[in-house]
């Protein structure tokens, strides 16, 4: 692979980017350009393709091909031996997909992921919005300080953070159970309890992702023209009326974007359960991604895992489209 | 804030936090009566946000007795480096640190070059198929990474790149986000400037490398930081693409250590020391460069 990319980079970096004939697609495009307009376009055509080549090669090999291959694999019994002999995999039609919907473990993981999204996304968005509004309107001093503080969890390595949270929630030595014992109570075993493991993970996800949403909302708030606010105040609008009548409607595009990316992120949740619970207790934190990883890389049921990946992908697309529709319609 | 609220100030927004003149604009707007309350709310929020970090940092210096004390002890009654000693005994952190650095640097350099090239082509050149390529980039932004993992693993096995730096770098060598970001920034460069250079006989490569790239340094800085940290924090692919412990990146090494009861020995102090050492460089980098982060997120989010 390295040779292919190396070559692509070389071609693109070639002498003065003038190598018109080197790019296969430049030929027809260039002549077409010459017909309609004049020389500069022909040159730009060649350069355009040369500048695009490195990205396109990497994109085709490491993204487009795997995406299609996952689809093909999902209709086969791709297993461990096919890692060395991929073409020997047997075509089995929709069997993987049919099996998925009779697979209690998969349905459980789908449900768990849904739970994570349905509770986690609104919490993240609302808290992020509140923090952004407070930071933007309520204070002048120390704004940067607060913003850095709220954003810090976003950039830190999730595996390390999950290890820390495991300790914070530890029933014997943890911070939270310690606080319980201080008032004479016994703290619950957060990650060891079927009922509490997922909410604990949601709390951690909210903690970690509020910063992203906050920054998006701050940018959105700064784009609202001052005059609009001033006009509202002159009309005697109170703080709440201004928030409801101006801030929220004008932030709608930001809200849409924040909701969509948070939802997509949460639907793919993997690291948190992997490090904190390994999916337990009794599969209560087994997410679709973790389930897929296990089926694919622990048990080498790669065809089956591919079908899982595609079901998750379809769910993500469907929910994204639905969110775009719902939230766009609201603006009208 | 009111002073910087005008539309189109987003690009300058990062300076807003540092400039005392805009920060303390003497206008009585916002939630003035509740201003004290706002400070209280934000401070409580900040405390909650930083508590896990503080707990981690302090715990890594605690003795076993302090670690299991109930009620919990925040400040170690006796500071010790034993946790770090034990950690370094059991886990070859310098090796994993170097692996992470090498992979992150390579990924970042590749992205800077390849994404800028395509960003330039999309923003400043006219060529057949341009719109289709941009469509591909937008589409690539939306595809979840999990969809590629299985065939990517098979592909890398076939290429013999499992447990190699190439195997860790290549799938991330050119990201759609980078193309998008560079295109946005390059569009702001006036066409006249490039036309003048073309009239003078400059090649497209010269224009790109000598004229455009120096003009988009802030964007390059933002992209470097995001790409570097993205790679530094990446977990799933390095977990899959490495079997040989000598090729683990920092997060994979830490996760393997933390989920294996034999290795970590169930010692929370050692784990906190590990988490602390993994998080510390990232936090320092972030605090030093925080303006670029918020700007990058905001720029990407506004499109």
């Amino acid at each position: 692979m390295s040779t292919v990319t190396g070559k692509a980079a070389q071609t693109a970096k070639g002498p003065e980017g003038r190598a018109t004939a080197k790019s296969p697609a430049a030929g027809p495009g260039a002549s077409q350009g010459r017909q309609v307009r004049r020389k500069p376009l022909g040159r730009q055509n060649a350069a355009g393709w040369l500048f695009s080549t490195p990205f396109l090669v990497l994109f085709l090999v490491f993204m487009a091909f795997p995406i299609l291959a996952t689809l093909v694999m999902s209709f086969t019994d791709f297993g461990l031996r096919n890692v060395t002999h991929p073409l020997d995999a047997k075509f089995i039609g929709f069997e993987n997909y049919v099996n998925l919907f009779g697979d209690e473990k998969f349905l459980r993981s789908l449900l768990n992921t849904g739970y994570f999204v349905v509770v986690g996304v609104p919490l993240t968005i609302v808290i992020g919005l509140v923090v952004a509004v407070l930071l933007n309107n309520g204070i002048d001093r120390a704004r940067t300080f607060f913003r850095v503080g709220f954003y810090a969890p976003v950039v830190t390595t999730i595996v390390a953070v999950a290890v820390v949270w495991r300790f914070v929630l530890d029933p014997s030595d943890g911070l939270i159970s310690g606080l319980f014992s201080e008032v004479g109570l016994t703290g619950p075993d957060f990650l060891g309890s079927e009922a509490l493991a997922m909410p604990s993970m949601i709390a951690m996800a909210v903690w970690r992702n509020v910063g992203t949403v906050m920054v998006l909302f701050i940018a959105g708030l700064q784009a609202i023209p001052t005059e609009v606010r001033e006009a509202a105040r002159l009309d005697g609008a109170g703080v709440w009326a201004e928030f409801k009548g101006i801030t929220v409607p004008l932030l709608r595009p930001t809200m849409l974007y924040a909701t969509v990316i948070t939802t997509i992120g949460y639907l793919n949740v993997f690291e948190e359960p992997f490090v904190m619970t390994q999916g337990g207790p009794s599969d209560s934190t087994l997410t679709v991604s973790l389930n897929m990883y296990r089926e694919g890389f622990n048990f080498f049921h790669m065809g089956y895992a591919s079908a899982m990946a595609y079901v998750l992908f379809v769910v993500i697309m469907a929910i994204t489209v639905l969110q775009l529709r719902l939230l766009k319609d609201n603006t009208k | 804030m009111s002073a910087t609220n005008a539309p189109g100030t987003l690009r300058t927004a990062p300076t807003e936090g540092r400039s005392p003149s805009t920060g303390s604009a003497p206008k009585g707007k916002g939630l003035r009566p509740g201003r004290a309350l706002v400070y209280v709310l934000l401070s409580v929020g900040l405390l909650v946000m930083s508590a896990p970090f503080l707990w981690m940092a302090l715990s890594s210096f605690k003795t076993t007795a302090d670690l299991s004390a109930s009620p919990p002890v925040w400040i170690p009654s006796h500071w010790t480096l034993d946790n770090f000693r034990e950690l370094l005994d059991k886990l070859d952190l310098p090796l994993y640190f170097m692996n992470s650095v090498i992979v992150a640097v390579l990924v970042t350099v590749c992205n800077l070059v390849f994404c800028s090239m395509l960003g330039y082509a999309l923003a400043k050149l006219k060529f057949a198929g341009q719109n289709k390529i941009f469509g591909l980039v937008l589409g690539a932004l939306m595809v979840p990474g999990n969809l590629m993992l299985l065939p990517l693993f098979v592909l890398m096995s076939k290429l013999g790149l499992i447990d190699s730096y190439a195997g860790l770098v290549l799938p991330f060598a050119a990201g759609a986000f980078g193309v998008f970001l560079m295109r946005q920034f390059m569009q702001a460069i006036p066409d006249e400037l490039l036309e003048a250079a073309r009239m003078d006989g400059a090649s497209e490569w010269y224009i790109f490398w000598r004229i455009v790239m120096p003009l988009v340094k802030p964007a390059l800085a933002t992209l470097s930081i995001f790409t570097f940290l993205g790679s530094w924090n990446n977990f799933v692919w390095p977990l899959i693409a490495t079997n040989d412990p000598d090729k683990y990146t920092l997060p994979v090494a830490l996760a393997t250590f933390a989920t294996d009861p034999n290795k970590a020995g169930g010692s929370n102090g050692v784990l906190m020391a590990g988490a602390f050492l993994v998080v510390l460089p990232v936090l320092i980098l972030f605090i030093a460069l925080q303006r670029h982060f918020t700007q990058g997120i905001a720029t990407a989010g506004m499109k």
Side-chain angles (χ1 to χ4, degrees):
Chain A
M1 189 52 248
S2 52
T3 53
V4 177
T5 10
K7 236 185 264 165
Q10 254 175 21
T11 321
K13 279 179 193 164
E16 314 293 84
R18 245 188 245 125
T20 325
K22 272 192 200 164
S23 167
S31 57
Q32 201 184 17
R34 221 167 268 139
Q35 273 180 352
V36 187
R37 269 153 277 182
R38 263 178 300 145
K39 214 175 124 202
L41 189 58
R43 170 180 132 158
Q44 288 200 6
N45 219 336
W49 279 97
L50 284 173
F51 277 87
S52 311
T53 304
F55 179 91
L56 288 180
V57 169
L58 288 165
F59 173 84
L60 288 176
V61 176
F62 296 110
M63 199 162 174
F65 166 73
I67 290 170
L68 283 177
T70 305
L71 186 62
V72 174
M73 276 164 76
S74 74
F75 294 107
T76 68
D77 65 348
F78 208 99
L80 182 55
R81 75 195 163 84
N82 302 111
V83 174
T84 41
H85 300 93
L87 297 179
D88 291 355
K90 211 171 79 212
F91 181 78
I92 54 169
F94 282 91
E95 199 178 308
N96 286 327
Y97 290 92
V98 173
N99 289 342
L100 271 183
F101 288 95
D103 178 350
E104 250 173 64
K105 215 170 185 151
F106 176 71
L107 296 176
R108 183 78 200 267
S109 71
L110 212 54
L111 215 63
N112 289 338
T113 309
Y115 178 18
F116 191 87
V117 169
V118 168
V119 179
V121 173
L123 275 175
T124 311
I125 299 292
V126 169
I127 296 175
L129 176 62
V130 168
V131 175
V133 169
L134 290 180
L135 274 179
N136 207 47
N137 293 324
I139 64 169
D140 298 327
R141 285 154 191 276
R143 186 179 292 126
T144 308
F145 175 71
F146 281 115
R147 201 171 50 187
V148 169
F150 278 92
Y151 194 70
V154 178
V155 296
T156 46
T157 314
I158 181 141
V159 170
V161 159
V163 167
V164 173
W165 271 76
R166 213 173 69 173
F167 179 41
V168 167
L169 298 168
D170 190 303
S172 55
D173 309 337
L175 174 61
I176 295 181
S177 74
L179 295 176
F180 270 93
S181 71
E182 210 148 357
V183 291
L185 295 168
T186 309
D189 181 5
F190 290 99
L191 297 177
S193 141
E194 270 191 62
L196 290 177
M198 204 45 134
S200 309
M201 224 161 277
I202 292 171
M204 185 198 142
V206 172
W207 172 81
R208 196 176 140 78
N209 291 291
V210 153
T212 311
V213 174
M214 170 200 76
V215 170
L216 288 173
F217 279 129
I218 288 176
L221 285 167
Q222 288 179 352
I224 297 178
T226 333
E227 301 83 57
V228 180
R229 289 178 183 285
E230 271 163 9
R233 285 199 197 97
L234 286 177
D235 289 345
V239 170
W240 178 246
E242 184 195 319
F243 178 73
K244 250 187 82 178
I246 293 177
T247 310
V248 170
L250 287 177
L251 274 186
R252 205 144 250 163
T254 315
M255 204 162 316
L256 175 65
Y257 179 76
T259 307
V260 168
I261 61 159
T262 311
T263 308
I264 294 177
Y266 284 8
L267 281 168
N268 282 306
V269 57
F270 173 80
E271 284 94 341
E272 292 91 335
F274 183 91
V275 177
M276 290 165 81
T277 58
Q278 277 108 62
S282 35
D283 291 341
S284 61
T285 57
L286 183 71
T287 61
V288 178
S289 291
L290 182 57
N291 197 8
M292 185 201 90
Y293 171 83
R294 279 208 196 142
E295 286 291 339
F297 297 105
N298 291 346
F299 312 132
F300 286 100
H301 300 153
M302 297 185 111
Y304 195 54
S306 300
M308 256 181 227
Y310 258 89
V311 171
L312 181 62
F313 177 56
V314 169
V315 169
I316 289 174
M317 289 310 274
I319 290 178
T320 305
V321 169
L322 194 73
Q323 281 177 341
L324 291 173
R325 283 254 169 90
L326 282 176
L327 288 163
K328 276 228 170 98
D329 283 352
N330 277 348
T331 45
K332 280 169 197 163
Chain B
M1 193 56 253
S2 31
T4 54
N5 257 348
T9 52
L10 186 61
R11 286 282 146 73
T12 58
T15 51
E16 143 267 318
R18 320 165 82 205
S19 145
S21 61
T22 48
S24 56
K27 306 208 176 156
K29 295 187 183 120
L31 313 165
R32 183 169 234 186
R35 192 147 298 186
L37 179 69
V38 171
Y39 275 105
V40 171
L41 282 176
L42 284 172
S43 302
V44 170
L46 194 64
L47 210 63
V48 173
M49 297 305 281
S50 45
F53 289 135
L54 283 174
W55 183 246
M56 166 193 77
L58 292 169
S59 293
S60 56
F61 296 102
K62 284 179 194 165
T63 55
T64 322
D66 279 349
L67 280 165
S68 54
S70 165
V73 187
W74 275 92
I75 311 291
S77 62
H78 174 72
W79 295 75
T80 173
L81 289 174
D82 284 353
N83 294 321
F84 292 95
R85 273 189 213 110
E86 196 181 334
L87 174 76
L88 292 172
D89 266 353
K90 290 182 173 172
L91 200 64
D92 191 354
L93 274 184
L95 170 75
Y96 304 126
F97 187 87
M98 276 320 290
N99 284 345
S100 277
V101 169
I102 291 169
V103 172
V105 167
L106 288 174
V107 166
T108 305
V109 171
C110 289
N111 268 279
L112 287 181
V113 175
F114 299 150
C115 296
S116 300
M117 285 173 69
L118 182 52
Y120 173 68
L122 292 177
K124 289 292 162 203
L125 296 174
K126 290 212 167 23
F127 62 101
Q130 188 169 27
N131 293 334
K132 280 185 190 132
I133 294 181
F134 189 53
L136 273 184
V137 171
L138 290 183
L141 274 175
M142 285 177 236
V143 178
N146 287 340
L147 208 54
M148 287 158 259
L149 294 177
L150 296 142
L152 210 48
F153 172 77
V154 178
L155 180 69
M156 289 300 183
S157 306
K158 288 298 263 183
L159 295 170
L161 294 179
I162 295 294
D163 286 326
S164 76
Y165 292 131
L168 290 169
V169 170
L170 283 173
F172 300 95
F177 169 78
V179 175
F180 198 68
L181 192 78
M182 294 320 296
R183 176 183 170 271
Q184 297 305 119
F185 273 88
M186 286 175 178
Q187 271 181 335
I189 296 172
D191 283 328
E192 294 78 28
L193 187 66
L194 310 186
E195 276 312 321
R198 280 182 194 125
M199 292 295 180
D200 290 345
S203 69
E204 289 302 329
W205 180 255
Y206 183 91
I207 294 173
F208 165 71
W209 199 243
R210 292 297 169 90
I211 300 176
V212 173
M213 288 297 260
L215 285 174
V216 293
K217 269 184 192 154
L220 292 171
T222 303
L223 181 59
S224 325
I225 297 165
F226 271 86
T227 316
F228 188 90
L229 269 192
S231 173
W232 188 266
N233 293 339
N234 189 13
F235 178 60
V236 187
W237 178 248
L239 176 71
I240 292 165
T242 53
N243 296 320
D244 175 4
D246 282 351
K247 285 296 188 303
Y248 283 175
T249 58
L250 217 40
V252 178
L254 182 67
T256 311
F257 189 63
T259 51
D260 184 343
N262 299 326
K263 283 188 190 155
S267 167
N268 280 327
V270 177
L271 278 178
M272 285 310 102
F276 184 52
L277 289 182
V278 172
V279 163
L280 194 64
V282 179
L283 271 187
I284 292 173
L285 192 71
F286 164 63
I287 289 168
L289 303 171
Q290 56 91 13
R291 288 185 301 128
H292 296 282
F293 279 92
T294 42
Q295 186 188 24
I297 289 274
T299 311
M302 294 310 284
K303 304 310 162 204

